[in-house]
Amino acid sequence: MSFLLVPLALLAGILNTVQSGANATLSKGLGQPVLAALCVTLGNAVVYLLVGAVLGLRWPDMGKVAQLPWWAWTGGFCGAAYVLAVVFFAEKLGAAVFTGCTVTAAILTSVLLDHFGLVGFKEHAASLWRLLGCALMIGGLVLIATF
């Protein structure tokens, strides 16, 4: 089953880029980026509820909820900030530069989070190869943004 994880992650990356364009177009068409972001959030909620209905959505024990670290609740804020960035900046920057910026920032942040084992990730050292990969991402972004 794990052989499906990489193709599904690639699909998520494709969908992420497509949704940036769709969200930016929605924002431009509505003329109100925050309203567009609210529409996107409503669409997210519909999908989550449908998938939850299929998989069997149920509330966890409150003891488990109380044991969660404070930062476990910040994902929604991060997602909202990303959607707002999309509706405000994606069209202005273009798909390649916007996605290049977000993916490069995500890779750099991921290496840092892995290296220190932060926000629930297991430690994976920032090896020379990982750091070289980060440098290549930055170089690729510079090429995409400049030429």
Side-chain angles (χ1 to χ4, degrees), residues 46-101:
V46 168
V47 171
Y48 301 150
L49 289 171
L50 290 173
V51 172
V54 170
L55 297 179
L57 183 65
R58 58 185 173 72
W59 294 105
D61 176 76
M62 283 299 134
K64 280 187 165 184
V65 172
Q67 292 176 0
L68 288 168
W70 68 268
W71 48 261
W73 299 99
T74 63
F77 298 104
C78 295
Y82 178 80
V83 169
L84 287 171
V86 169
V87 298
F88 279 104
F89 310 130
E91 183 189 17
K92 291 174 180 78
L93 292 172
V97 173
F98 181 80
T99 302
C101 286

Side-chain angles (χ1 to χ4, degrees), residues 26-27 30 32-42 44 80 83-84 87:
L26 182 63
S27 175
L30 295 176
Q32 296 189 36
V34 175
L35 178 59
L38 286 169
C39 291
V40 169
T41 301
L42 178 62
N44 290 340
V83 169
L84 287 171
V87 298

Side-chain angles (χ1 to χ4, degrees), residues 16 24 37 42 56 59-60 64 66-67 82 109 113 115 118 124-125:
N16 189 48
L42 178 62
W59 294 105
K64 280 187 165 184
Q67 292 176 0
Y82 178 80
T109 303
L113 295 177
H115 182 74
L118 300 173
H124 296 279

Side-chain angles (χ1 to χ4, degrees), residues 1-2 8 20 25 30 32 41 43 47-48 57 69 81 87 92 101 108 111 116-117 132 136 141:
M1 186 64 132
S2 63
L8 289 174
S20 292
T25 301
L30 295 176
Q32 296 189 36
T41 301
V47 171
Y48 301 150
L57 183 65
V87 298
K92 291 174 180 78
C101 286
L108 297 173
V111 170
F116 293 106
L132 178 60
L136 290 171
L141 176 58

